[in-house]
Amino acid sequence: CTLRGILWAAESDETRPVAVGDRVTVVLEDTGEELSGAVEMRGPRDNRLARLAAGTRGAAGQRDSTTRGPGGGSLGRHSDEARSGTGGGGAGARRGSHGGGRGSGTVGGRGGASQRSGPRIQVIAANIDRVIVVGALEDPPFRPGLVDRFLVAAANEGIEGVVCLNKVDLELDTENHTDRCVADPFRQAGLPVLETSIITGEGIEQLRTMMSTGISLVVGHSGVGKSSLLNAVSPGLRLATGDVTVHHGRGRHTTTQVNLLPLVGGGWVVDSPGIREFVLEGVSPATLARLYPGFGALPDGCKFNDCLHLDEPRCAVRAAAEQGGLDVERFDSYQRVLADLLT
């Protein structure tokens, strides 16, 4: 399906007028030789997972700050994030009338019109039931900062967030190995955490059960094994997979666009390209702490409702970090994301 010009003409700060998962109205025409269609309307969204589009903030990623938290964490950007991967989705109807006329459908990727200049928000997917953030134990190493950003974005939209620690079979295979405790802060924050390996099969059935209802968006850094996991969950997908390059420890983009795919055991999955940077959109500095994994109700104890938890008096969050009531690494991670929002 093509996109009607009226969709592109509408005032919007999004890079595309529709995203994968959008509910749309389509007009189909059967000429006798081929079936063609056009998306003419986008329905209301229950939610969306979006980020600031690449290049929107110019030199983002090159800033730093000398302000440090109680654990020694800098307020500048951390190495959890590099440049962004490919994102957008196209338009296509998952279902609709095939005899001509008007029908309804869900955008599922591929096709669509050319990019519009100017907009600053990239919607990765809309109308989703859960965001599964995949991080590898090793190869590439686990990056909690990127996981945090995805979880904050999901919480801001009221979407369930899930952490999937993949490649756990590598726990004992490296000389200076990372162990599974890297996911403990997310468990302690009350988030579901799955530990998976396509080599041993650990956690695959649990992941399959979780994804068997609704629409799941699977996101994560390049090379963490998203496509391999989905192939294990639903072998009929036959998604392309790749290796992590040795010289910089990053994965290659084996998925190059966002697609909505049916799973054999039920449910749908939005498969997205690896993302090396996720710049939050729609989250204000004053609300960040209330969305941050592990902070719980601590921000409610601060003297000021708009407390940023830096050097304000009677700050409950900072006091908890200094006195052991809040994990220092959680607080350091928060400060790095906050610095990103303040710049």
Side-chain angles (χ1 to χ4, degrees):
C1 292
T2 59
L3 302 180
R4 293 290 196 204
I6 191 173
L7 292 172
W8 292 101
E11 289 295 325
S12 175
D13 52 5
E14 297 179 10
T15 56
R16 291 182 61 81
V18 296
V20 170
D22 270 326
R23 304 180 187 103
V24 298
T25 300
V26 299
V27 173
L28 301 178
E29 181 180 358
D30 191 349
T31 63
E33 296 181 357
E34 62 179 1
L35 185 67
S36 62
V39 177
E40 65 173 18
M41 185 183 300
R42 188 189 80 195
R45 288 171 172 163
D46 298 330
N47 55 55
R48 69 179 190 180
L49 192 82
R51 64 172 178 171
L52 291 187
T56 295
R57 306 197 328 167
Q62 300 178 15
R63 300 178 300 275
D64 199 2
S65 169
T66 57
T67 305
R68 308 187 72 82
S74 170
L75 278 181
R77 181 180 293 278
H78 190 250
S79 59
D80 288 324
E81 295 76 41
R83 291 310 307 162
S84 62
T86 306
R94 185 181 74 186
R95 58 181 183 270
S97 169
H98 292 283
R102 181 173 300 184
S104 64
T106 299
V107 174
R110 302 183 185 279
S114 60
Q115 288 284 346
R116 178 183 177 183
S117 62
R120 54 183 286 273
I121 296 174
Q122 179 192 6
V123 180
I124 299 173
N127 302 315
I128 52 182
D129 296 289
R130 68 189 62 85
V131 176
I132 301 175
V133 188
V134 181
L137 186 68
E138 291 283 356
D139 193 32
F142 189 72
R143 291 174 168 84
L146 186 61
V147 176
D148 281 328
R149 284 168 166 80
F150 279 121
L151 293 174
V152 167
N156 191 47
E157 289 286 323
I159 306 170
E160 178 189 10
V162 179
V163 177
C164 178
L165 183 62
N166 194 29
K167 303 187 183 181
V168 293
D169 56 282
L170 297 178
E171 184 175 22
L172 301 178
D173 288 350
T174 55
E175 182 178 349
N176 299 310
H177 70 270
T178 303
D179 59 40
R180 303 184 188 201
C181 69
V182 295
D184 285 350
F186 302 103
R187 289 191 184 90
Q188 294 163 5
L191 291 161
V193 176
L194 302 179
E195 298 177 352
T196 57
S197 168
I198 64 166
I199 303 300
T200 66
E202 181 177 351
I204 299 301
E205 186 58 39
Q206 188 179 2
L207 181 60
R208 182 181 294 119
T209 299
M210 175 179 287
M211 299 177 67
S212 64
T213 59
I215 299 178
S216 303
L217 170 62
V218 178
V219 294
H221 199 281
S222 303
V224 296
K226 298 186 303 298
S227 296
S228 297
L229 270 180
L230 294 179
N231 284 337
V233 166
S234 187
L237 294 178
R238 299 178 181 175
L239 301 175
T241 60
D243 299 323
V244 175
T245 55
V246 175
H247 69 282
H248 55 45
R250 299 175 186 166
R252 300 182 180 93
H253 291 304
T254 52
T255 301
T256 56
Q257 60 185 8
V258 185
N259 288 303
L260 178 64
L261 306 168
L263 299 173
V264 172
W268 293 77
V269 64
V270 180
D271 182 29
S272 66
I275 294 177
R276 299 190 186 120
E277 180 185 58
F278 189 85
V279 182
L280 288 170
E281 176 276 326
V283 176
S284 71
T287 60
L288 177 63
R290 289 181 168 83
L291 300 170
Y292 220 78
F295 278 39
L298 283 174
D300 296 332
C302 294
K303 177 180 179 180
F304 302 108
N305 289 333
D306 60 351
C307 182
L308 298 182
H309 322 295
L310 296 177
D311 54 7
E312 299 90 339
R314 293 170 57 184
C315 171
V317 172
R318 190 173 186 88
E322 292 172 345
Q323 298 168 13
L326 174 65
D327 185 84
V328 171
E329 291 185 3
R330 291 280 82 211
F331 189 57
D332 287 346
S333 176
Y334 160 78
Q335 290 186 91
R336 288 191 290 267
V337 178
L338 177 64
D340 203 37
L341 294 179
L342 292 173
T343 306

